[in-house]
Amino acid sequence: MRNMEVKKALGLYFVMGTPNSGSQDPLAIVEAALRGGITCFQLREKGSNALEGDALLGFAKKCQALCRLYRVPFIINDDVDLALAINADGVHVGQDDEQADSVRQRIGPDKWLGVSTHNAQEVQLAQSIGADYVGLGPIYPTSTKLDASAVVGTTLVKEIHTAFPDMPIVAIGGITLATTGSIIQAGADGVAVVSAIASAKDPQYAASDLSKTIHSLLE
Ligand code: TZP
Ligand code: MG
């Protein structure tokens, strides 16, 4: 069942763009994260110095090739044209991006569609237009997304998991190894992180540590 496949892929969901790579080589971070055991990768190319045009296309193709090597779904944030151009595995959109129902129409039924949500009403709407999973957050304060909305905590994860038991849920925002356990226990199928891996001194080690914790709780 697609649901189960999606839930499994959400386990350790790494989100990154070149602006999140600091002084390290962004592609090396993606590869390290894959070696460390991430289960999904989202290219989220946002913020100052974000790549555009051919540079973005080239970087996306390199990330996609790596993800294919590790058999990890490759999702594009908020850029349906790019996702279609390279035949990505899915698209993720927020509430302020292109409308999810229009995205679903453009990408067709096979590609995964993820939608960022902040309350039951948004989850209901996402479900009705055929979203494959919802992102919930920011769970904790984060400095990675400057326009992040109010912190929702693990309470929202519990609420959504109870109200929508079949909907795959990934939590995002300020998540670290220390808080991963409480998020999974609240009912999330996985955690999405940027800085916990991208800003780690050793991204492979960080991913592997998170992966072990998540899988010990999900088994
Ligand atoms: N959406 C909500 S919070 C966030 C996004 C993309 C950023 C999460 O980054 P970090 O570094 O894991 O807090
Ligand atoms: Mg967005």
Side-chain angles (χ1 to χ4, degrees):
M1 230 168 94
R2 172 140 155 181
N3 238 32
M4 297 312 292
E5 193 192 338
V6 174
K7 285 189 178 196
K8 205 170 153 211
L10 296 181
L12 177 53
Y13 189 154
F14 182 40
V15 178
M16 200 200 85
T18 59
N20 306 119
S21 61
S23 57
Q24 302 189 70
D25 170 22
L27 210 59
I29 297 178
V30 175
E31 182 153 28
L34 287 161
R35 274 200 306 268
I38 61 165
T39 52
C40 193
F41 176 67
Q42 179 190 119
L43 176 58
R44 180 177 177 274
E45 189 68 16
K46 299 246 166 163
S48 54
N49 300 318
L51 300 176
E52 291 172 19
D54 285 349
L56 174 57
L57 186 66
F59 182 66
K61 282 184 177 165
K62 286 181 186 162
C63 291
Q64 181 180 38
L66 280 175
C67 289
R68 282 192 176 150
L69 212 56
Y70 287 82
R71 299 180 198 284
V72 160
F74 175 66
I75 311 291
I76 299 280
N77 182 295
D78 187 21
D79 192 335
V80 178
D81 292 334
L82 177 60
L84 291 173
I86 65 173
N87 193 22
D89 299 307
V91 173
H92 185 99
V93 285
Q95 295 292 321
D96 301 328
D97 302 331
E98 181 174 340
Q99 292 285 310
D101 53 354
S102 141
V103 175
R104 172 55 87 201
Q105 275 178 23
R106 289 177 62 200
I107 65 176
D110 294 339
K111 290 190 196 304
W112 290 3
L113 171 60
V115 181
S116 294
T117 57
H118 313 90
N119 53 57
Q121 198 184 345
E122 288 174 0
V123 175
Q124 178 70 62
L125 194 63
Q127 188 176 52
S128 70
I129 56 96
D132 289 291
Y133 72 89
V134 290
L136 292 181
I139 305 294
Y140 303 113
T142 175
S143 48
T144 305
K145 183 173 158 73
L146 297 174
D147 62 346
S149 51
V151 166
V152 295
T154 53
T155 323
L156 183 70
V157 176
K158 281 191 194 123
E159 183 194 324
I160 300 302
H161 176 60
T162 308
F164 304 87
D166 295 332
M167 175 58 89
I169 295 171
V170 67
I172 190 163
I175 300 172
T176 61
L177 184 63
T179 51
T180 289
S182 55
I183 290 160
I184 300 297
Q185 270 147 13
D189 297 292
V191 298
V193 300
V194 181
S195 53
I197 294 177
S199 305
K201 222 186 267 170
D202 184 336
Q204 180 180 341
Y205 186 85
S208 153
D209 247 9
L210 283 160
S211 166
K212 282 180 205 150
T213 301
I214 292 157
H215 291 106
S216 70
L217 290 161
L218 286 174
E219 267 149 23

